[in-house]
Amino acid sequence: MVRAWAVFGCLLFACSLIILRLFYWQVIASNTLRLEAASQYFLQFTLPAARGSILASDGSPLVMNQPAFLVYAEPRLIQNIHAFVGSVAPVLALDPTELTQQLSDPERVWLPLAHKVESGVADSLRSLNLTGLGFEKEPKRYYPEASMAAHLLGFVGSDVNGEDMGYFGLEGKYERELGGKDGVIQLEKDAQGNPILIGEAKRIEPEDGRTLVLWLDRVIQEIVERRLREGMTRYGAAEGSVIVMDPKTGGILAMATFPSYDPRVYASFDKALYKNPAVASSYEPGSTFKSFVMAAALEERSVTPMETMDESGPVQVGEYAVRTWNNEYHGPITMTQVLEYSSNVGMVYVSRELGEEKLISFIKNYGFGKLTNIDLEDEATPELREEREWHEIDYATASFGQGIAVTPLQMVRAAAALANAGKLMEPHVVKEIRDRKGNVVPIAPRMVRDVISPSSARVITEMLVSAVDNGEAKWAKPKGYRIAGKTGTAQIPVAGHYEENKTIASFVGWGPADDPKFVMLVTLREPTSSPWGSETAAPLFFTITKDIFSYWGIPPQ
Amino acid sequence: MKRSIRAIIRLLPVIAIFLLGVEIIVANELAGLGKTLGNIDSEIAKESAVNEMLATRVASSSSLLTIREKAQALGFREPTAKQLLTLNPSELPVAIDNSVR
């Protein structure tokens, strides 16, 4: 009886062990086993989404994709490492010693050799028919216009996972739209790795990135970049920028800043160059700001164009004496002549007539001190001081554009309001977004607010036409055209004082004055040939204007 | 009547076996088509890559950079003074050849 029970006990024990083991494999380890089995009979790979293109207003591509490959090695399949290295290293410019070392590592199963290798190079490697050399599609950005509009476009780098990601400019701002969404395909496969059609299949189609169509006119962009480069050389400027905007829509027709970088090889440039100074850097605008203060005074009926003031000498503001830029005084002058002579003394009179509260109010209405909401990643704005921090001298200097910081984009947008019957528009680079199926999402121009009335806008336009025709820069103006504009020469503040010989020369204007097709701001930092805007930025503005009129076929009026 | 029913009943297994055979053959054909599908996918990928390459070549050929280089090679120059010849207000201006012959 005891023996029978002992045998029964042993059988029971053995059965329990089997049951426990079965429980382990079928319950605890089931997920792991299911996944391992799936990897044997399921074929799964990612369907990468193609990144969207960026097109100019005429549909020409500024950025698109070109075929490129990740080249990799599978060391365990390589028969002769030295021959392999001898063939591959020179083509990919790799260090043969280091490559040999890496391929000889017995733990290595897979080794990436080079990323984003262009088709030509990949084809030459393929023709070597090397076992253990593989290629994976890894598209690369292509720039048909080379480094044109680099700051506007931004560039594509890698994120922490090595995936493509846009930085700065449009590539950064529209990363989600351009990047799209990868798809996946999962198929049952046979023993040889071929898909089984009647087997289980799951496919999620990739959503390719969308295409951005810009307001940017590539011909105007080319004109602007070429003339700006020439101008910086001629006038010896350290930095220069030009923005051209359509005043009626807020569309950016061209935007260029130098020094710049090449997005194709962005890593070889100083990171400080990636940010777009036209939207991210600030400067004191100088006399170009007089246009806005005068327009505000006209709107409030504080002054009229033919009203006179006595410019007999410097004007006292508290303990300070404000002088004209050239220390010349003309006696009784009209408001129009205040702009023609670019009289700081005259502008102090205007700002006093306008009043401190109204001056600050209009400065804010023009959009200064706030982001413009342009669709670029790097926009920044200097803050306006709190009203309680303004003293009498600050109101006086603000009237002629010193002691107040603005960005070039804020300046050109405010000028566009004067050219657009007083309507302040939201600036935009992208006009519409298209997907692969042909659906188009337009980005409608958006009016922010009315800053001044259409009648005040007409009056200030005429005054600024007169400033161009009779001012310091009249020699550079193209004959037969009515162009409204204002020169500016601002000293650069450094550590609490103004640098003696360093200026920012600028010119802001629009044309044709009667039906403006564009507004443009030209700024040159520290021109060495002459510090004055009338002798540097203004002639550059008019040179670009002549080219634009010619391109658009606008004859003299 | 009884004879015809018996005949049908005798034929049913034959039909069943025949259909089973057809199913096996068709399934086998479909299973084998996976390789063809794989080849077609490879061809599609190749042609897509060629299309992408051609698109970049078209973009490069029509870029302003290329047009400027070719124009200079053909002898086009910037005019020293702007000259506009407009045939009618809605047409674009035409280029004027100012080269000295």
Side-chain angles (χ1 to χ4, degrees):
Chain A
M1 197 63 195
V2 171
R3 258 186 255 160
W5 278 111
V7 169
F8 177 72
C10 291
L11 281 172
L12 193 64
F13 179 70
C15 286
S16 305
L17 281 176
I18 292 167
I19 289 166
L20 279 170
R21 199 65 185 151
L22 283 171
F23 179 80
Y24 171 77
W25 286 118
Q26 289 184 358
V27 178
I28 294 170
S30 67
N31 276 337
T32 316
L33 290 173
R34 199 179 301 125
L35 287 168
E36 276 182 38
S39 72
Q40 282 179 8
Y41 59 78
F42 267 115
L43 188 66
Q44 178 169 311
F45 47 89
T46 309
L47 299 172
R51 194 172 176 87
S53 302
I54 302 177
L55 310 181
S57 57
D58 63 354
S60 315
L62 296 170
V63 193
M64 58 192 295
N65 297 317
Q66 63 173 325
F69 300 88
L70 160 66
V71 182
Y72 62 88
E74 292 173 276
R76 292 183 185 177
L77 299 177
I78 299 170
Q79 284 147 4
N80 184 338
I81 289 180
H82 290 290
F84 183 93
V85 169
S87 303
V88 169
V91 177
L92 295 176
L94 298 171
D95 175 26
T97 315
E98 203 185 317
L99 183 57
T100 307
Q101 209 177 351
Q102 287 171 330
L103 291 173
S104 303
D105 182 353
E107 301 292 316
R108 279 274 194 190
V109 174
W110 186 87
L111 175 70
L113 298 176
H115 286 274
K116 299 195 186 287
V117 173
E118 290 178 22
S119 289
V121 176
D123 289 342
S124 64
L125 284 171
R126 273 201 194 91
S127 65
L128 298 172
N129 284 319
L130 293 169
T131 316
L133 186 66
F135 302 87
E136 192 68 44
K137 255 178 93 172
E138 197 177 53
K140 187 176 164 176
R141 283 313 231 178
Y142 175 62
Y143 301 85
E145 306 290 352
S147 59
M148 181 193 277
H151 278 123
L152 208 71
L153 298 173
F155 59 86
V156 173
S158 300
D159 64 12
V160 290
N161 299 319
E163 302 288 330
D164 280 350
M165 182 159 163
Y167 294 90
F168 297 96
L170 293 168
E171 295 275 22
K173 181 74 179 181
Y174 286 95
E175 165 60 25
R176 217 161 45 153
E177 286 80 0
L178 289 167
K181 213 166 151 186
D182 289 343
V184 73
I185 186 165
Q186 199 178 58
L187 294 169
E188 269 192 281
K189 63 177 179 174
D190 61 21
Q192 281 157 350
N194 297 316
I196 300 172
L197 279 185
I198 53 167
E200 233 179 275
K202 184 171 84 171
R203 186 183 178 103
I204 300 172
E205 292 294 338
E207 282 176 38
D208 286 338
R210 295 186 210 168
T211 293
L212 308 181
V213 181
L214 310 186
W215 286 101
L216 188 133
D217 186 315
R218 63 175 182 150
V219 173
I220 297 180
Q221 181 72 23
E222 192 275 338
I223 290 168
V224 157
E225 290 195 3
R226 181 165 38 92
R227 294 301 190 191
L228 179 57
R229 253 188 243 110
E230 289 168 2
M232 284 176 65
T233 307
R234 186 177 305 125
Y235 305 121
E239 192 182 295
S241 78
V242 177
I243 306 176
V244 183
M245 182 193 281
D246 179 343
K248 294 178 179 122
T249 62
I252 301 294
L253 303 177
M255 184 185 279
T257 308
F258 292 112
S260 181
Y261 66 97
D262 188 340
R264 296 171 294 182
V265 286
Y266 64 89
S268 57
F269 287 82
D270 186 356
K271 287 188 176 71
L273 290 174
Y274 296 164
K275 235 197 249 190
N276 184 353
V279 304
S281 295
S282 62
Y283 74 110
E284 290 193 7
S287 297
T288 49
F289 204 74
K290 291 171 181 166
S291 323
F292 309 121
V293 177
M294 185 66 78
L298 291 168
E299 178 68 9
E300 291 298 310
R301 297 184 202 280
S302 308
V303 297
T304 62
M306 298 315 289
E307 177 179 329
T308 59
M309 59 82 59
D310 188 18
E311 194 203 45
S312 53
V315 63
Q316 203 64 28
V317 180
E319 63 194 83
Y320 303 98
V322 173
R323 301 173 197 285
T324 57
W325 64 273
N326 54 1
N327 247 336
E328 286 176 18
Y329 302 91
H330 305 92
I333 55 171
T334 64
M335 294 301 107
T336 304
Q337 285 171 317
V338 165
L339 292 177
E340 287 173 11
Y341 297 135
S342 199
S343 168
N344 296 343
V345 170
M347 287 312 301
V348 172
Y349 168 85
V350 172
S351 74
R352 282 173 170 167
E353 292 296 299
L354 177 61
E356 293 172 355
E357 217 176 285
K358 286 274 177 320
L359 177 63
I360 301 237
S361 172
F362 269 95
I363 288 173
K364 288 178 182 171
N365 278 348
Y366 280 119
F368 297 112
K370 287 231 159 62
L371 294 173
T372 65
N373 290 326
I374 191 169
D375 46 348
L376 291 173
E377 196 180 58
D378 15 351
E379 195 191 9
T381 178
E383 279 185 19
L384 270 181
R385 275 172 295 161
E386 294 288 330
E387 277 178 56
R388 60 173 183 272
E389 293 173 29
W390 285 63
H391 303 106
E392 193 187 0
I393 186 62
D394 298 316
Y395 293 102
T397 54
S399 72
F400 49 86
Q402 298 265 201
I404 180 171
V406 301
T407 65
L409 180 64
Q410 288 168 342
M411 275 299 291
V412 77
R413 182 175 76 147
L418 303 186
N420 187 30
K423 295 182 194 330
L424 190 74
M425 303 300 290
E426 190 173 80
H428 269 279
V429 182
V430 177
K431 188 161 60 170
E432 62 187 36
I433 301 178
R434 292 181 199 162
D435 66 19
R436 282 274 166 127
K437 293 175 192 162
N439 299 318
V440 176
V441 176
I443 297 177
R446 190 181 150 254
M447 188 186 88
V448 179
R449 58 179 159 267
D450 285 304
V451 184
I452 58 174
S453 62
S455 56
S456 299
R458 273 196 298 276
V459 171
I460 191 66
T461 297
E462 287 305 318
M463 291 170 77
L464 290 172
V465 169
S466 191
V468 167
D469 290 343
N470 303 305
E472 289 294 316
K474 61 178 183 248
W475 60 274
K477 194 209 111 182
K479 290 184 179 48
Y481 291 98
R482 277 169 45 85
I483 298 167
K486 185 74 191 72
T487 54
T489 306
Q491 290 171 295
I492 300 175
V494 176
H497 71 277
Y498 284 110
E499 279 284 340
E500 195 60 47
N501 297 313
K502 290 187 179 170
T503 62
I504 292 183
S506 59
F507 191 97
V508 69
W510 56 93
D514 302 308
D515 181 20
K517 299 280 188 267
F518 68 90
V519 177
M520 176 166 42
L521 170 71
V522 173
T523 59
L524 294 171
R525 181 178 277 268
E526 299 174 33
T528 52
S529 63
S530 161
W532 305 110
S534 57
E535 292 172 4
T536 53
L540 178 54
F541 174 98
F542 291 126
T543 302
I544 297 172
T545 300
K546 271 185 259 187
D547 286 345
I548 293 177
F549 283 156
S550 182
Y551 167 56
W552 276 339
I554 298 173
Q557 287 122 24
Chain B
M1 183 73 179
K2 272 188 184 174
R3 261 196 213 159
S4 53
I5 292 170
R6 269 198 212 119
I8 289 167
I9 290 168
R10 276 192 209 117
L11 268 175
L12 278 177
V14 177
I15 293 168
I17 291 165
F18 174 73
L19 287 173
L20 186 65
V22 167
E23 192 198 343
I24 290 167
I25 291 165
V26 168
N28 186 50
E29 282 295 307
L30 279 176
L33 280 174
K35 194 171 177 187
T36 312
L37 176 67
N39 290 339
I40 292 171
D41 278 339
S42 296
E43 281 301 310
I44 291 172
K46 245 189 249 172
E47 295 302 324
S48 299
V50 169
N51 280 346
E52 250 189 312
M53 177 52 73
L54 290 172
T56 60
R57 284 202 194 140
V58 167
S60 173
S61 300
S62 56
S63 72
L64 292 179
L65 216 60
T66 307
I67 291 169
R68 179 166 271 275
E69 282 166 12
K70 288 195 173 150
Q72 279 173 350
L74 287 168
F76 284 92
R77 296 284 177 265
E78 289 265 11
T80 46
K82 293 281 181 230
Q83 296 174 42
L84 289 173
L85 173 65
T86 310
L87 299 178
N88 76 57
S90 63
E91 286 194 24
L92 288 170
V94 297
I96 296 172
D97 180 2
N98 282 325
S99 62
V100 176
R101 295 185 203 280

PDB file of all heavy atoms in Angstrom, chain A residues 212-229:
ATOM      1  N   LEU A 212       4.410  73.594 -49.114  1.00  0.00           N
ATOM      2  CA  LEU A 212       4.135  75.005 -48.807  1.00  0.00           C
ATOM      3  C   LEU A 212       4.356  75.845 -50.056  1.00  0.00           C
ATOM      4  O   LEU A 212       5.389  75.716 -50.709  1.00  0.00           O
ATOM      5  CB  LEU A 212       5.080  75.512 -47.707  1.00  0.00           C
ATOM      6  CG  LEU A 212       5.168  74.701 -46.410  1.00  0.00           C
ATOM      7  CD1 LEU A 212       6.145  75.376 -45.449  1.00  0.00           C
ATOM      8  CD2 LEU A 212       3.810  74.557 -45.766  1.00  0.00           C
ATOM      9  N   VAL A 213       3.385  76.665 -50.394  1.00  0.00           N
ATOM     10  CA  VAL A 213       3.556  77.616 -51.495  1.00  0.00           C
ATOM     11  C   VAL A 213       3.673  78.997 -50.863  1.00  0.00           C
ATOM     12  O   VAL A 213       2.814  79.398 -50.077  1.00  0.00           O
ATOM     13  CB  VAL A 213       2.355  77.576 -52.475  1.00  0.00           C
ATOM     14  CG1 VAL A 213       2.580  78.557 -53.613  1.00  0.00           C
ATOM     15  CG2 VAL A 213       2.163  76.170 -53.015  1.00  0.00           C
ATOM     16  N   LEU A 214       4.746  79.700 -51.213  1.00  0.00           N
ATOM     17  CA  LEU A 214       5.045  80.968 -50.543  1.00  0.00           C
ATOM     18  C   LEU A 214       4.559  82.170 -51.353  1.00  0.00           C
ATOM     19  O   LEU A 214       4.301  82.077 -52.543  1.00  0.00           O
ATOM     20  CB  LEU A 214       6.559  81.099 -50.323  1.00  0.00           C
ATOM     21  CG  LEU A 214       7.302  79.927 -49.679  1.00  0.00           C
ATOM     22  CD1 LEU A 214       8.752  80.318 -49.416  1.00  0.00           C
ATOM     23  CD2 LEU A 214       6.620  79.452 -48.429  1.00  0.00           C
ATOM     24  N   TRP A 215       4.520  83.287 -50.680  1.00  0.00           N
ATOM     25  CA  TRP A 215       4.324  84.578 -51.344  1.00  0.00           C
ATOM     26  C   TRP A 215       5.629  84.984 -52.063  1.00  0.00           C
ATOM     27  O   TRP A 215       5.604  85.813 -52.974  1.00  0.00           O
ATOM     28  CB  TRP A 215       3.992  85.659 -50.319  1.00  0.00           C
ATOM     29  CG  TRP A 215       2.613  85.569 -49.760  1.00  0.00           C
ATOM     30  CD1 TRP A 215       2.242  85.057 -48.556  1.00  0.00           C
ATOM     31  CD2 TRP A 215       1.412  86.033 -50.374  1.00  0.00           C
ATOM     32  NE1 TRP A 215       0.888  85.157 -48.374  1.00  0.00           N
ATOM     33  CE2 TRP A 215       0.345  85.754 -49.481  1.00  0.00           C
ATOM     34  CE3 TRP A 215       1.110  86.655 -51.584  1.00  0.00           C
ATOM     35  CZ2 TRP A 215      -0.988  86.067 -49.756  1.00  0.00           C
ATOM     36  CZ3 TRP A 215      -0.216  86.979 -51.862  1.00  0.00           C
ATOM     37  CH2 TRP A 215      -1.245  86.684 -50.952  1.00  0.00           C
ATOM     38  N   LEU A 216       6.720  84.420 -51.624  1.00  0.00           N
ATOM     39  CA  LEU A 216       8.034  84.830 -52.116  1.00  0.00           C
ATOM     40  C   LEU A 216       8.158  84.722 -53.624  1.00  0.00           C
ATOM     41  O   LEU A 216       7.858  83.683 -54.208  1.00  0.00           O
ATOM     42  CB  LEU A 216       9.110  83.974 -51.435  1.00  0.00           C
ATOM     43  CG  LEU A 216      10.547  84.383 -51.687  1.00  0.00           C
ATOM     44  CD1 LEU A 216      11.327  84.413 -50.391  1.00  0.00           C
ATOM     45  CD2 LEU A 216      11.226  83.463 -52.666  1.00  0.00           C
ATOM     46  N   ASP A 217       8.601  85.810 -54.251  1.00  0.00           N
ATOM     47  CA  ASP A 217       8.865  85.844 -55.687  1.00  0.00           C
ATOM     48  C   ASP A 217      10.357  85.596 -55.847  1.00  0.00           C
ATOM     49  O   ASP A 217      11.167  86.421 -55.414  1.00  0.00           O
ATOM     50  CB  ASP A 217       8.462  87.213 -56.252  1.00  0.00           C
ATOM     51  CG  ASP A 217       8.571  87.265 -57.770  1.00  0.00           C
ATOM     52  OD1 ASP A 217       9.602  86.790 -58.306  1.00  0.00           O
ATOM     53  OD2 ASP A 217       7.644  87.791 -58.410  1.00  0.00           O
ATOM     54  N   ARG A 218      10.726  84.467 -56.459  1.00  0.00           N
ATOM     55  CA  ARG A 218      12.147  84.121 -56.474  1.00  0.00           C
ATOM     56  C   ARG A 218      12.978  85.096 -57.311  1.00  0.00           C
ATOM     57  O   ARG A 218      14.173  85.252 -57.057  1.00  0.00           O
ATOM     58  CB  ARG A 218      12.372  82.676 -56.926  1.00  0.00           C
ATOM     59  CG  ARG A 218      11.942  82.388 -58.323  1.00  0.00           C
ATOM     60  CD  ARG A 218      12.291  80.991 -58.747  1.00  0.00           C
ATOM     61  NE  ARG A 218      11.881  80.791 -60.138  1.00  0.00           N
ATOM     62  CZ  ARG A 218      12.491  79.986 -60.977  1.00  0.00           C
ATOM     63  NH1 ARG A 218      13.531  79.282 -60.591  1.00  0.00           N
ATOM     64  NH2 ARG A 218      12.058  79.862 -62.215  1.00  0.00           N
ATOM     65  N   VAL A 219      12.353  85.745 -58.299  1.00  0.00           N
ATOM     66  CA  VAL A 219      13.114  86.724 -59.088  1.00  0.00           C
ATOM     67  C   VAL A 219      13.432  87.934 -58.208  1.00  0.00           C
ATOM     68  O   VAL A 219      14.565  88.432 -58.204  1.00  0.00           O
ATOM     69  CB  VAL A 219      12.334  87.152 -60.340  1.00  0.00           C
ATOM     70  CG1 VAL A 219      13.047  88.280 -61.054  1.00  0.00           C
ATOM     71  CG2 VAL A 219      12.130  85.960 -61.277  1.00  0.00           C
ATOM     72  N   ILE A 220      12.446  88.416 -57.463  1.00  0.00           N
ATOM     73  CA  ILE A 220      12.689  89.552 -56.572  1.00  0.00           C
ATOM     74  C   ILE A 220      13.684  89.143 -55.478  1.00  0.00           C
ATOM     75  O   ILE A 220      14.563  89.921 -55.099  1.00  0.00           O
ATOM     76  CB  ILE A 220      11.376  90.078 -55.960  1.00  0.00           C
ATOM     77  CG1 ILE A 220      10.464  90.593 -57.065  1.00  0.00           C
ATOM     78  CG2 ILE A 220      11.647  91.181 -54.937  1.00  0.00           C
ATOM     79  CD1 ILE A 220       9.140  91.139 -56.603  1.00  0.00           C
ATOM     80  N   GLN A 221      13.567  87.944 -54.985  1.00  0.00           N
ATOM     81  CA  GLN A 221      14.528  87.463 -53.978  1.00  0.00           C
ATOM     82  C   GLN A 221      15.934  87.466 -54.558  1.00  0.00           C
ATOM     83  O   GLN A 221      16.890  87.883 -53.892  1.00  0.00           O
ATOM     84  CB  GLN A 221      14.147  86.049 -53.513  1.00  0.00           C
ATOM     85  CG  GLN A 221      15.049  85.453 -52.455  1.00  0.00           C
ATOM     86  CD  GLN A 221      14.884  86.079 -51.087  1.00  0.00           C
ATOM     87  OE1 GLN A 221      13.848  86.661 -50.782  1.00  0.00           O
ATOM     88  NE2 GLN A 221      15.912  85.987 -50.250  1.00  0.00           N
ATOM     89  N   GLU A 222      16.086  87.024 -55.799  1.00  0.00           N
ATOM     90  CA  GLU A 222      17.408  86.999 -56.427  1.00  0.00           C
ATOM     91  C   GLU A 222      17.942  88.423 -56.611  1.00  0.00           C
ATOM     92  O   GLU A 222      19.110  88.698 -56.331  1.00  0.00           O
ATOM     93  CB  GLU A 222      17.309  86.290 -57.794  1.00  0.00           C
ATOM     94  CG  GLU A 222      18.664  85.935 -58.421  1.00  0.00           C
ATOM     95  CD  GLU A 222      19.287  87.058 -59.212  1.00  0.00           C
ATOM     96  OE1 GLU A 222      18.544  87.970 -59.647  1.00  0.00           O
ATOM     97  OE2 GLU A 222      20.522  87.051 -59.380  1.00  0.00           O
ATOM     98  N   ILE A 223      17.053  89.328 -57.056  1.00  0.00           N
ATOM     99  CA  ILE A 223      17.459  90.734 -57.226  1.00  0.00           C
ATOM    100  C   ILE A 223      17.938  91.296 -55.889  1.00  0.00           C
ATOM    101  O   ILE A 223      19.004  91.908 -55.789  1.00  0.00           O
ATOM    102  CB  ILE A 223      16.275  91.583 -57.754  1.00  0.00           C
ATOM    103  CG1 ILE A 223      15.952  91.214 -59.206  1.00  0.00           C
ATOM    104  CG2 ILE A 223      16.567  93.070 -57.619  1.00  0.00           C
ATOM    105  CD1 ILE A 223      14.632  91.784 -59.707  1.00  0.00           C
ATOM    106  N   VAL A 224      17.135  91.061 -54.863  1.00  0.00           N
ATOM    107  CA  VAL A 224      17.432  91.608 -53.534  1.00  0.00           C
ATOM    108  C   VAL A 224      18.762  91.063 -53.015  1.00  0.00           C
ATOM    109  O   VAL A 224      19.610  91.824 -52.530  1.00  0.00           O
ATOM    110  CB  VAL A 224      16.265  91.281 -52.571  1.00  0.00           C
ATOM    111  CG1 VAL A 224      16.689  91.298 -51.119  1.00  0.00           C
ATOM    112  CG2 VAL A 224      15.102  92.238 -52.795  1.00  0.00           C
ATOM    113  N   GLU A 225      18.979  89.770 -53.138  1.00  0.00           N
ATOM    114  CA  GLU A 225      20.219  89.176 -52.604  1.00  0.00           C
ATOM    115  C   GLU A 225      21.429  89.688 -53.376  1.00  0.00           C
ATOM    116  O   GLU A 225      22.460  90.020 -52.783  1.00  0.00           O
ATOM    117  CB  GLU A 225      20.151  87.644 -52.655  1.00  0.00           C
ATOM    118  CG  GLU A 225      19.151  87.071 -51.661  1.00  0.00           C
ATOM    119  CD  GLU A 225      19.306  85.583 -51.432  1.00  0.00           C
ATOM    120  OE1 GLU A 225      20.239  84.972 -51.998  1.00  0.00           O
ATOM    121  OE2 GLU A 225      18.490  85.019 -50.681  1.00  0.00           O
ATOM    122  N   ARG A 226      21.304  89.745 -54.687  1.00  0.00           N
ATOM    123  CA  ARG A 226      22.449  90.189 -55.491  1.00  0.00           C
ATOM    124  C   ARG A 226      22.784  91.646 -55.188  1.00  0.00           C
ATOM    125  O   ARG A 226      23.940  92.002 -54.974  1.00  0.00           O
ATOM    126  CB  ARG A 226      22.119  89.994 -56.974  1.00  0.00           C
ATOM    127  CG  ARG A 226      23.224  90.394 -57.936  1.00  0.00           C
ATOM    128  CD  ARG A 226      22.985  89.828 -59.348  1.00  0.00           C
ATOM    129  NE  ARG A 226      21.585  89.843 -59.737  1.00  0.00           N
ATOM    130  CZ  ARG A 226      21.005  90.847 -60.392  1.00  0.00           C
ATOM    131  NH1 ARG A 226      21.695  91.920 -60.713  1.00  0.00           N
ATOM    132  NH2 ARG A 226      19.719  90.789 -60.725  1.00  0.00           N
ATOM    133  N   ARG A 227      21.760  92.496 -55.160  1.00  0.00           N
ATOM    134  CA  ARG A 227      22.012  93.933 -54.941  1.00  0.00           C
ATOM    135  C   ARG A 227      22.481  94.188 -53.508  1.00  0.00           C
ATOM    136  O   ARG A 227      23.318  95.068 -53.272  1.00  0.00           O
ATOM    137  CB  ARG A 227      20.731  94.746 -55.221  1.00  0.00           C
ATOM    138  CG  ARG A 227      20.283  94.727 -56.680  1.00  0.00           C
ATOM    139  CD  ARG A 227      21.338  95.264 -57.600  1.00  0.00           C
ATOM    140  NE  ARG A 227      20.827  95.473 -58.960  1.00  0.00           N
ATOM    141  CZ  ARG A 227      21.579  95.739 -60.013  1.00  0.00           C
ATOM    142  NH1 ARG A 227      22.893  95.835 -59.867  1.00  0.00           N
ATOM    143  NH2 ARG A 227      21.043  95.909 -61.194  1.00  0.00           N
ATOM    144  N   LEU A 228      21.952  93.409 -52.571  1.00  0.00           N
ATOM    145  CA  LEU A 228      22.375  93.605 -51.174  1.00  0.00           C
ATOM    146  C   LEU A 228      23.849  93.240 -51.013  1.00  0.00           C
ATOM    147  O   LEU A 228      24.614  93.958 -50.359  1.00  0.00           O
ATOM    148  CB  LEU A 228      21.506  92.772 -50.224  1.00  0.00           C
ATOM    149  CG  LEU A 228      21.826  92.844 -48.727  1.00  0.00           C
ATOM    150  CD1 LEU A 228      21.778  94.280 -48.224  1.00  0.00           C
ATOM    151  CD2 LEU A 228      20.857  91.976 -47.926  1.00  0.00           C
ATOM    152  N   ARG A 229      24.247  92.138 -51.644  1.00  0.00           N
ATOM    153  CA  ARG A 229      25.673  91.732 -51.576  1.00  0.00           C
ATOM    154  C   ARG A 229      26.555  92.818 -52.182  1.00  0.00           C
ATOM    155  O   ARG A 229      27.587  93.191 -51.620  1.00  0.00           O
ATOM    156  CB  ARG A 229      25.878  90.423 -52.351  1.00  0.00           C
ATOM    157  CG  ARG A 229      26.103  89.226 -51.444  1.00  0.00           C
ATOM    158  CD  ARG A 229      26.496  87.986 -52.205  1.00  0.00           C
ATOM    159  NE  ARG A 229      25.487  86.966 -52.036  1.00  0.00           N
ATOM    160  CZ  ARG A 229      24.663  86.547 -52.979  1.00  0.00           C
ATOM    161  NH1 ARG A 229      24.740  87.027 -54.191  1.00  0.00           N
ATOM    162  NH2 ARG A 229      23.768  85.619 -52.725  1.00  0.00           N
TER     163      ARG A 229
END
